[in-house]
Amino acid sequence: MSETPPKAQRKSAIEEAQLVNVVLRYFKLAGVAVGVWLSGYLNFSPSWLLVGLVLYVWKERQGKRKKLQIEIRQDTARDEQKAILARVEDLPSWVHFPEVERAEWFNKILDQIWPFIGDYVKDLLINSIQPKIQASHAHMASFVFTRIDLGDIPPRIGGVKVYTKNVRRDEIYMDLDIIYSSDCDLMVKLKGMNMGIKDLQVRGTMRVILKPLLSRMPLFGGLSVFFLNNPSIDFNLKGLADAFDLPGLRFVSKRDCLDREMVEDIIAEQIANIMVLPNRIAVPMIEELNLSLLKYPPPEGVLRIYMIEARNLVSADVAFVGKGKSDPYAVLKFGPEKFKTKVINNTVNPQWNEVFETIIDCKDAQVIDLEIRDEDPGSKDDKIGTAAIDISSSASQGTLDTWLPLENVKKGDVHLKLVWMYLANDPMVLEKTLKQVGASSELASCVLMVNLDSAKDLPRMKKQIAEPSPFVVLSLGPKSFETEEKPNTDSPVWEKPFRFLVHNPHIQKLDIQIFDKKNPKESLGDLTIPLKSLLSAPDMTLDQDFALKNSGLDSKINMRLCLRILTPENNPAWRSEGAILNTNSSSVDPPAGPKKEGTSSPDAAKKPQPQTGPAKAANSGVDPTIKKVEVTQINAAKPEGQVIPPASNTSPSTVTSTEVRQRKTKSSPAPAESDARGAYGRGRIQLTFRYSSQRQKLVVVVHKCLNLLPCDSDNLADPYVKMYLLPDKSSSGKRKTAVIKNNLNPVFDETFEFSLKQEEIADRDLELTIRNDTSFFSSNVKVMGVVTIDLSKMDVSKAATDWFDLHPEDSDDAEKPISVESDV
């Protein structure tokens, strides 16, 4: 028996309360009438009636006053500003309601616990920050902390802003204005010399996210903390390092130079690597929390930044004859990333015409810092202007082409073009994106997100008794990342995210190599994953153990690979973060350890998958469509022309001890040579159909044609495809491919969409005409073949690819797909 909805329960309770009030009021009035009648009947004095009336009026007024106080308090609790403005017409000018509120109570708590934080920060600096600084630059290899004193001044929270709009009901977003004006005293040793940092100043906006909200203690499942943008950093140097503050003066020799800017960049880089987006600190509060989604949520999109030109820049170089010039270049900083244009010599109106791409995690709050600098060989480069790029405006408009005035200088403007790209999990979008990208090697068509979890059973090197200290190198094209080493373990746990911009997933591969820090020239194992295998995976995601090559028999690496396609179109159905709470606690992997073999995913643990066709045979052990492949062949090559992955809820692969078991996708094969001309001798056409219920659109992909009729004098033709969604033959319902010149086997690979409600599909036919592109007065054949498809007989709820015979224009024969098995 279904339960009554909460809204219906509340409505029923209100109606019952109103009925009770009416009944009570009736009896009260009846009681007053009976009392008046009794006082007259018993000959009481009228004074008693007056006393009773006074008591009644007093009680009513007291009740109304109390009710009004309760209503005011409730309204104030709901919306203080609205409640006050509703009761006060003319407010003084100094009364305002700020969105950012003070948090002095928290600052007092922080001041009280600050002395106890010192030991934790000291351990963090020595064990975590110091090794990263040593590895960040060749000059910093000898860097060590010799003194750490945080001082007596704790950080302060200048203000707190809690978001109540544009957030989900099961999460809380807060922005904290962090101000750290410290009296700290840090001493370091570098190249045998002592240097010091004092009066460290840090200020930035820190976001705190509490999600998901729960109906039990501790009321929220996890805590995520990070800086939205790089915080501003300033400090004073002491000792020998104080010389860094002199303009143009550098430390040590010219070959081993080190200046204040480098020290500042190193400090900013270490902060960014810990807690500036996309890096964040995540703290789970409950065991069943999916920590990876809290710590590594998917990005919101990609921003293309076209650095076009600048004008009227200031002259940084002094000229004895004529006006001075500059050697300008631009630097863009965004979180831990930095982009730099080429240098244009001797000009104040440079033209760069370069493009950069960066992944955006939070478009409504992040900004990109732009600096225009003048190159000065042998001394520090001069800043000749700065600007801040607002990402939210370009994301809302799609494309923003504008001139920005430079700040902190007298004159100068910079010309930028910003293009916002959304992330799609629909493989059908890829072909269109690749056409937009074209031959440009600078632009990406996809984003690959790699969550490197762990490895296990790594081998030991020959003649080595101790366990290895492994680290991983991930490479895709020119981009590569290297993890930190995990000392003395054959089952390391990294839990690190990496993101790559992909130019063409059809040809690019992800290369992974594991090395031993003790002997970095020898490999512990390697793995190559073709990105095209992700195009046919469910949600274009693989989350599993991968067997390593050139490694131990049971050596594996656990990763989650997720591919997303860049597109200027926005579809809310494409953005899905998944379930942050695991419903089956037995399927949750430990947050700090390798995943156990045989552990099923949370989605697989919810309910058994329906078994039909080949799946039943698989369980009986006789399925001929099961094959074993090497890890480098994660997915069989798709049939030519196939652009839609199989719509299946089952996992695409099951991991065994050394290999991946994979189910083949049934596909519509290319026609045999004897049938290549079709039943009517006019050739065939390959099409894919799919209906998007979210967007209410019928998607038709025209792949290619085979063995069309020659129409021109040179026994060739210039074919194109024209289609109508019958019975509508208006120009608005017409779709047309590009013309392929001099070809009887044209490949189109074009996608078309028709706005159509799902219930209307059964009443529609799709008519496709293959025409020869000729002039109006030409005597060549114009219509090469026609096919009419009854959509009521097609299952468009799933992606299906079929071959269709072309028939003459005047034929009334109904066309049927030749392949019984479709790409579903």
Side-chain angles (χ1 to χ4, degrees):
M1 186 175 180
S2 60
E3 296 182 357
T4 307
K7 285 188 176 180
Q9 293 179 356
R10 289 195 296 269
K11 184 177 180 181
S12 176
I14 292 173
E15 291 177 350
E16 291 177 1
Q18 290 176 346
L19 180 61
V20 171
N21 290 333
V22 171
V23 173
L24 289 177
R25 187 172 181 82
Y26 169 78
F27 280 107
K28 285 181 180 179
L29 295 176
V32 171
V34 171
V36 172
W37 179 81
L38 284 175
S39 63
Y41 180 79
L42 299 175
N43 295 319
F44 287 145
S45 172
S47 301
W48 291 106
L49 292 177
L50 293 176
V51 171
L53 181 62
V54 169
L55 292 175
Y56 176 78
V57 172
W58 177 83
K59 183 180 179 182
E60 286 292 318
R61 287 189 176 183
Q62 289 296 111
K64 289 182 179 179
R65 182 181 300 175
K66 187 175 182 179
K67 183 179 179 181
L68 180 61
Q69 289 176 348
I70 293 174
E71 290 178 352
I72 292 174
R73 290 168 184 168
Q74 290 177 345
D75 292 342
T76 305
R78 293 189 187 100
D79 191 337
E80 183 181 37
Q81 179 179 354
K82 184 177 179 180
I84 294 176
L85 291 176
R87 289 166 174 80
V88 182
E89 295 182 358
D90 298 322
L91 285 175
S93 59
W94 52 265
V95 177
H96 64 284
F97 300 90
E99 292 184 349
V100 180
E101 302 174 1
R102 300 182 65 186
E104 287 304 312
W105 62 271
F106 190 83
N107 289 327
K108 293 177 181 179
I109 295 175
L110 193 59
D111 183 67
Q112 193 75 8
I113 66 174
W114 183 245
F116 301 93
I117 299 179
D119 293 338
Y120 168 76
V121 174
K122 183 177 180 180
D123 180 72
L124 178 67
L125 291 176
I126 294 177
N127 297 327
S128 180
I129 304 298
Q130 180 174 295
K132 292 181 179 179
I133 293 178
Q134 292 171 347
S136 65
H137 199 280
H139 305 312
M140 309 300 291
S142 60
F143 179 94
V144 292
F145 285 102
T146 58
R147 175 183 171 85
I148 300 176
D149 182 6
L150 297 182
D152 299 325
I153 303 177
R156 288 182 53 82
I157 297 180
V160 179
K161 180 179 180 180
V162 180
Y163 291 88
T164 57
K165 298 179 180 179
N166 300 324
V167 295
R168 294 168 50 177
R169 293 181 59 87
D170 64 338
E171 59 189 14
I172 296 175
Y173 276 65
M174 293 186 294
D175 283 347
L176 311 181
D177 182 18
I178 302 297
I179 306 170
Y180 183 36
S181 300
S182 72
D183 57 344
C184 70
D185 184 7
L186 304 178
M187 292 297 297
V188 300
K189 191 173 184 179
L190 179 63
K191 295 183 181 294
M193 300 180 184
N194 291 317
M195 297 177 291
I197 298 175
K198 63 179 183 179
D199 302 330
L200 179 63
Q201 314 287 311
V202 180
R203 181 162 189 173
T205 300
M206 179 183 292
R207 174 157 291 182
V208 179
I209 301 177
L210 308 178
K211 62 185 291 188
L213 301 184
L214 308 173
S215 58
R216 54 186 172 87
M217 297 302 293
L219 300 181
F220 58 92
L223 172 71
S224 180
V225 181
F226 53 88
F227 280 107
L228 291 167
N229 302 287
N230 285 323
S232 60
I233 299 172
D234 195 11
F235 53 86
N236 291 323
L237 300 171
K238 68 178 186 176
L240 182 62
D242 195 25
F244 294 173
D245 278 337
L246 297 179
L249 187 58
R250 299 197 174 197
F251 178 53
V252 194
S253 65
K254 184 177 181 179
R255 181 176 59 88
D256 297 326
C257 63
L258 182 68
D259 59 8
R260 173 192 171 88
E261 184 178 359
M262 183 180 296
V263 176
E264 187 174 319
D265 287 343
I266 290 173
I267 296 175
E269 181 181 351
Q270 298 311 312
I271 295 177
N273 288 335
I274 297 175
M275 55 184 310
V276 176
L277 283 178
N279 302 303
R280 60 186 76 199
I281 298 175
V283 181
M285 304 299 293
I286 56 177
E287 292 183 359
E288 58 267 32
L289 181 74
N290 190 337
L291 185 61
S292 62
L293 283 179
L294 181 66
K295 196 171 184 179
Y296 315 124
E300 293 189 357
V302 170
L303 184 67
R304 286 179 181 161
I305 308 170
Y306 292 84
M307 284 296 305
I308 301 175
E309 59 183 326
R311 65 187 179 191
N312 301 325
L313 299 178
V314 297
S315 301
D317 299 333
V318 179
F320 295 99
V321 179
K323 295 182 178 180
K325 300 287 186 178
S326 295
D327 303 322
Y329 66 94
V331 176
L332 296 102
K333 296 181 180 179
F334 180 74
E337 290 191 287
K338 181 187 290 187
F339 305 104
K340 179 182 177 181
T341 67
K342 59 189 176 184
V343 179
I344 308 297
N345 293 320
N346 300 319
T347 181
V348 292
N349 298 295
Q351 292 185 350
W352 296 290
N353 293 318
E354 297 186 41
V355 59
F356 306 100
E357 293 178 313
T358 184
I359 301 172
I360 306 298
D361 290 271
C362 185
K363 65 178 182 294
D364 294 328
Q366 290 184 279
V367 296
I368 297 179
D369 295 322
L370 169 66
E371 294 181 359
I372 307 297
R373 298 180 181 177
D374 170 57
E375 186 183 47
D376 291 325
S379 62
K380 183 179 178 180
D381 295 345
D382 300 321
K383 289 184 182 179
I384 54 177
T386 61
I389 302 174
D390 184 14
I391 298 175
S392 60
S393 58
S394 62
S396 60
Q397 299 180 32
T399 300
L400 181 63
D401 193 337
T402 184
W403 286 87
L404 291 178
L406 295 176
E407 301 175 358
N408 303 318
V409 286
K410 294 182 180 179
K411 60 178 182 177
D413 303 282
V414 62
H415 185 192
L416 297 167
K417 180 182 177 182
L418 308 177
V419 179
W420 178 258
M421 307 297 290
Y422 293 94
L423 304 183
N425 60 357
D426 187 354
M428 294 183 61
V429 182
L430 178 59
E431 301 304 323
K432 184 176 180 181
T433 300
L434 288 176
K435 288 183 179 180
Q436 294 173 347
V437 171
S440 174
S441 60
E442 298 179 337
L443 299 180
S445 64
C446 303
V447 173
L448 175 66
M449 292 164 278
V450 181
N451 286 349
L452 176 61
D453 184 77
S454 58
K456 57 184 175 182
D457 298 327
L458 296 179
R460 301 181 185 182
M461 305 305 298
K462 296 180 180 179
K463 300 180 181 180
Q464 182 174 316
I465 300 177
E467 291 183 329
S469 298
F471 66 95
V472 182
V473 178
L474 302 93
S475 303
L476 180 63
K479 190 79 171 180
S480 65
F481 293 101
E482 181 178 316
T483 69
E484 59 185 3
E485 67 167 299
K486 294 297 179 179
N488 303 321
T489 178
D490 63 351
S491 298
V493 178
W494 290 284
E495 292 185 323
K496 289 292 183 181
F498 304 96
R499 302 189 293 196
F500 298 89
L501 290 170
V502 181
H503 177 64
N504 189 342
H506 290 303
I507 59 176
Q508 289 186 275
K509 301 177 181 179
L510 175 66
D511 294 319
I512 299 170
Q513 288 185 306
I514 303 180
F515 297 96
D516 185 0
K517 198 69 173 180
K518 300 172 183 177
N519 190 3
K521 294 184 179 180
E522 297 291 336
S523 173
L524 297 176
D526 58 80
L527 175 65
T528 300
I529 302 177
L531 299 188
K532 63 182 180 181
S533 62
L534 289 165
L535 295 174
S536 55
D539 196 37
M540 296 198 294
T541 301
L542 291 175
D543 189 354
Q544 63 186 49
D545 286 340
F546 296 88
L548 292 170
K549 295 180 63 178
N550 304 316
S551 187
L553 292 177
D554 298 326
S555 300
K556 297 177 183 177
I557 186 170
N558 183 272
M559 296 185 299
R560 182 179 187 270
L561 308 178
C562 181
L563 189 69
R564 290 294 181 263
I565 302 170
L566 305 185
T567 173
E569 301 175 1
N570 182 21
N571 185 348
W574 290 337
R575 182 166 177 82
S576 175
E577 296 187 5
I580 196 170
L581 286 180
N582 294 305
T583 57
N584 190 346
S585 59
S586 63
S587 65
V588 181
D589 296 318
K595 294 186 178 181
K596 298 181 180 179
E597 282 191 65
T599 301
S600 61
S601 64
D603 294 335
K606 290 180 183 178
K607 60 180 180 180
Q609 299 294 337
Q611 297 179 344
T612 59
K616 294 181 179 179
N619 291 337
S620 63
V622 295
D623 185 3
T625 64
I626 295 289
K627 70 173 183 177
K628 296 183 178 181
V629 296
E630 296 288 337
V631 175
T632 54
Q633 298 172 333
I634 291 178
N635 221 302
K638 294 189 300 179
E640 187 176 1
Q642 179 182 349
V643 298
I644 303 178
S648 173
N649 292 329
T650 57
S651 177
S653 54
T654 305
V655 181
T656 62
S657 59
T658 59
E659 50 205 316
V660 177
R661 300 182 68 221
Q662 181 192 20
R663 185 177 304 280
K664 288 182 180 178
T665 301
K666 284 191 175 183
S667 60
S668 59
E673 186 66 28
S674 59
D675 299 328
R677 298 191 62 85
Y680 301 90
R682 290 179 171 264
R684 290 179 168 177
I685 184 171
Q686 189 186 41
L687 305 171
T688 291
F689 298 91
R690 186 176 72 94
Y691 184 76
S692 175
S693 57
Q694 292 91 352
R695 298 185 295 148
Q696 291 192 337
K697 289 183 182 294
L698 175 66
V699 182
V700 181
V701 183
V702 181
H703 293 295
K704 58 184 178 181
C705 296
L706 286 180
N707 294 298
L708 297 178
L709 286 177
C711 299
D712 300 339
S713 58
D714 54 0
N715 289 326
L716 293 174
D718 301 331
Y720 67 93
V721 180
K722 185 170 67 173
M723 67 185 78
Y724 292 96
L725 191 61
L726 301 179
D728 183 15
K729 266 208 168 185
S730 63
S731 58
S732 61
K734 181 176 71 174
R735 304 290 188 272
K736 178 181 174 183
T737 68
V739 178
I740 307 298
K741 295 288 186 180
N742 301 321
N743 202 322
L744 298 180
N745 299 290
V747 177
F748 301 100
D749 279 338
E750 295 189 38
T751 302
F752 303 92
E753 294 182 348
F754 296 89
S755 297
L756 190 67
K757 295 182 179 179
Q758 191 164 7
E759 57 269 18
E760 298 176 354
I761 294 178
D763 301 328
R764 296 299 187 101
D765 295 333
L766 183 67
E767 181 186 84
L768 297 97
T769 305
I770 291 78
R771 302 182 65 90
N772 181 30
D773 187 39
T774 62
S775 63
F776 180 76
F777 299 101
S778 174
S779 60
N780 293 337
V781 177
K782 293 182 173 57
V783 178
M784 307 172 70
V786 179
V787 58
T788 303
I789 302 169
D790 185 357
L791 295 181
S792 64
K793 299 179 181 179
M794 301 290 294
D795 183 9
V796 295
S797 62
K798 299 179 181 179
T801 301
D802 281 307
W803 287 92
F804 296 84
D805 290 342
L806 301 177
H807 61 79
E809 185 179 13
D810 55 353
S811 174
D812 296 329
D813 295 341
E815 185 52 46
K816 299 179 181 179
I818 68 164
S819 62
V820 178
E821 298 174 351
S822 302
D823 291 348
V824 296

